[in-house]
Amino acid sequence: MTGADYLLPLRTKLRSMRTESFGADPAGARMERIRRSPHFVDGSFQNPVGARIRPSGSTLEFAKIYFHKEQRARRMPTGTVPVHATTLADLAAPPASGLRLTWMGHSSVLAEIDGRRILFDPVWGERCSPFPFAGPKRLHPTPVPLAALGPVDVVVISHDHYDHLDLPTIRALAGTDTVFAVPLGVGAHLERWGVPAARMHELDWNETATVAGISLTATPARHFCGRGLRNGQHTLWASWVVAGPEHRIYHSGDTGYFPGFRDIGAEHGPFDATMIQIGAYSEYWPDIHMTPAEGMRAHLDLQGGSPHGVLLPIHWGTFNLAPHAWAEPGEWTKDAGEDAGQAVAFPRPGEPFEPAGTLPVEPWWRPLSATLAHPWRRTEEQAGPGPGPGPEAAARGDLDLAGER
């Protein structure tokens, strides 16, 4: 570096540091289409309801909690996560019911629906980070090599954060014949990484694409976007409705709770299964990730207000992304399901199951978990009888949780 380099504007220096993992910014016709979106206002995409996308509260306080040695230990499994070694034999025979789900960890799910194979948010990389040497690292291996997964009809991406859109995984899939369904603007990343535009369906909220007889609809979510140090909100985030001739499923992506789940359910539901984000929540970002209680409320909203179908919890167990204990999302979701009378599947990573069949329900995380305080149980007792904990109770639970730390 020369002395003159120190005089370069900071933005120029940051741009020079952008590796391929950062992706690409939308431009040209893609950016013009973004500007025409009714959800793009004042130069950025907007949430369906207001949301704080930056952490609230004291940064110093959060850092003390997040990096404290004892607290860090709580956020890790105490032993080896029991990954189910998914093989082609597991997936060779078509599902008897026509619908089978295989949670690969975090938000990655292979859905076999009415003769087609849909892969949601595939992340096979070791870290969810732009750098191979830093960032959250996997807490368990992928259950099956990506190359051994077999043909996939559609890859669905919810948004462009690193734990949902993974460069090495997309590059590997770019060499196949699979089609991609992504929110508006995300196609810029994929094109830079080798996915032809002809193999992409880039959708705004409430737009639908049909691939091989399966409809894929991008539906609203309450989150945000960005892969770099600057966040222009120029790529959209979405939840997804996937419907075949006989079955329909829902993938939440990342989202805070909002009343729009009822609207999505009224228009597209009810669902045979939902895949709902229930991990990486915190009182520091209550608007952009759901607690398990909020996730359960979202599922019930999607089903018209009553227990129906099966809830598959996602966005937990694989990466350490929030201050809560590693096993807490699973334990809290189990309690929320029992309170609501809602069927919840708890597969080990890589364990296929059919929502219409026998569900995996064993709390496999318990032997690997440090002692949990269960503050949400006190919250629900304080709230009194009712149809199950709603968003307000969940928020109080978060505050109780902070008090335990």
Side-chain angles (χ1 to χ4, degrees):
M1 177 178 286
T2 68
D5 290 326
Y6 288 103
L7 302 178
L8 290 173
L10 177 60
R11 179 170 292 184
T12 301
K13 292 180 182 178
L14 293 177
R15 283 184 180 276
S16 69
M17 295 170 59
R18 283 173 65 99
T19 66
E20 193 171 15
S21 295
F22 284 97
D25 295 327
R30 177 176 281 113
M31 193 64 212
E32 288 303 313
R33 185 182 170 203
I34 288 170
R35 291 192 180 101
R36 292 194 299 270
S37 168
H39 313 296
F40 191 79
V41 180
D42 296 330
S44 63
F45 280 113
Q46 305 294 317
N47 271 298
V49 297
R52 293 166 292 171
I53 64 173
R54 296 185 183 279
S56 60
S58 166
T59 302
L60 179 60
E61 180 186 348
F62 174 76
K64 286 180 179 179
I65 293 172
Y66 194 79
F67 293 107
H68 189 273
K69 185 176 180 180
E70 291 183 6
Q71 299 301 329
R72 290 178 65 183
R74 294 173 64 248
R75 302 199 302 272
M76 305 284 286
T78 59
T80 302
V81 175
V83 174
H84 178 85
T86 306
T87 66
L88 288 179
D90 291 320
L91 304 175
S97 66
L99 176 63
R100 180 166 57 203
L101 302 178
T102 307
W103 179 52
M104 298 296 178
H106 202 57
S107 296
S108 303
V109 181
L110 175 66
E112 298 167 274
I113 176 171
D114 297 340
R116 303 299 178 187
R117 307 176 91 223
I118 315 297
L119 186 58
F120 292 95
D121 284 357
V123 174
W124 260 250
E126 280 300 305
R127 294 183 186 271
C128 49
S129 166
F131 308 109
F133 54 84
K137 191 175 182 180
R138 282 186 165 277
L139 302 177
H140 65 79
T142 53
V144 60
L146 187 62
L149 194 60
V152 173
D153 293 287
V154 187
V155 172
V156 175
I157 304 296
S158 65
H159 63 297
D160 68 359
H161 286 160
Y162 290 94
D163 56 324
H164 297 260
L165 181 63
D166 179 55
L167 168 60
T169 305
I170 297 300
R171 271 187 167 166
L173 292 166
T176 69
D177 294 329
T178 190
V179 173
F180 290 79
V182 303
L184 191 56
V186 174
H189 301 310
L190 271 59
E191 280 197 63
R192 185 180 184 192
W193 300 337
V195 179
R199 285 193 8 231
M200 280 191 282
H201 294 279
E202 201 167 345
L203 305 182
D204 201 346
W205 288 342
N206 303 312
E207 291 183 341
T208 300
T210 300
V211 179
I214 301 292
S215 71
L216 306 109
T217 303
T219 45
R222 191 186 185 201
H223 200 55
F224 68 110
C225 66
R227 293 180 71 84
L229 296 175
R230 61 187 184 87
N231 179 11
Q233 297 287 82
H234 288 171
T235 60
L236 189 58
W237 49 96
S239 57
W240 287 88
V241 170
V242 176
E246 302 295 333
H247 296 89
R248 53 185 61 229
I249 56 179
Y250 172 86
H251 189 284
S252 72
D254 279 2
T255 181
Y257 180 85
F258 71 113
F261 292 116
R262 292 192 290 269
D263 299 327
I264 295 170
E267 183 170 356
H268 301 283
F271 299 96
D272 298 283
T274 68
M275 296 154 273
I276 302 287
Q277 171 262 306
I278 52 86
Y281 47 84
S282 172
E283 66 184 57
Y284 291 96
W285 48 83
D287 298 339
I288 56 173
H289 280 164
M290 293 189 290
T291 66
E294 290 173 311
M296 181 59 62
R297 174 55 58 196
H299 171 89
L300 295 174
D301 287 352
L302 289 161
Q303 304 289 31
S306 301
H308 181 81
V310 174
L311 187 158
L312 171 62
I314 61 172
H315 205 265
W316 76 289
T318 303
F319 296 107
N320 182 349
L321 301 175
H324 62 66
W326 172 75
E328 187 176 278
E331 198 69 31
W332 190 352
T333 303
K334 191 174 192 317
D335 281 354
E338 291 172 356
D339 290 342
Q342 171 60 51
V344 183
F346 292 106
R348 294 166 175 80
E351 182 180 2
F353 72 95
E354 298 189 33
T358 302
L359 299 181
V361 295
E362 178 189 353
W364 54 265
W365 58 86
R366 285 180 178 171
L368 309 172
S369 171
T371 302
L372 295 176
H374 303 101
W376 62 89
R377 291 181 182 171
R378 292 199 304 276
T379 298
E380 289 160 13
E381 289 167 3
Q382 294 164 0
E392 296 82 3
R396 289 197 300 273
D398 270 354
L399 291 174
D400 287 344
L401 206 62
E404 291 292 322
R405 293 196 176 99

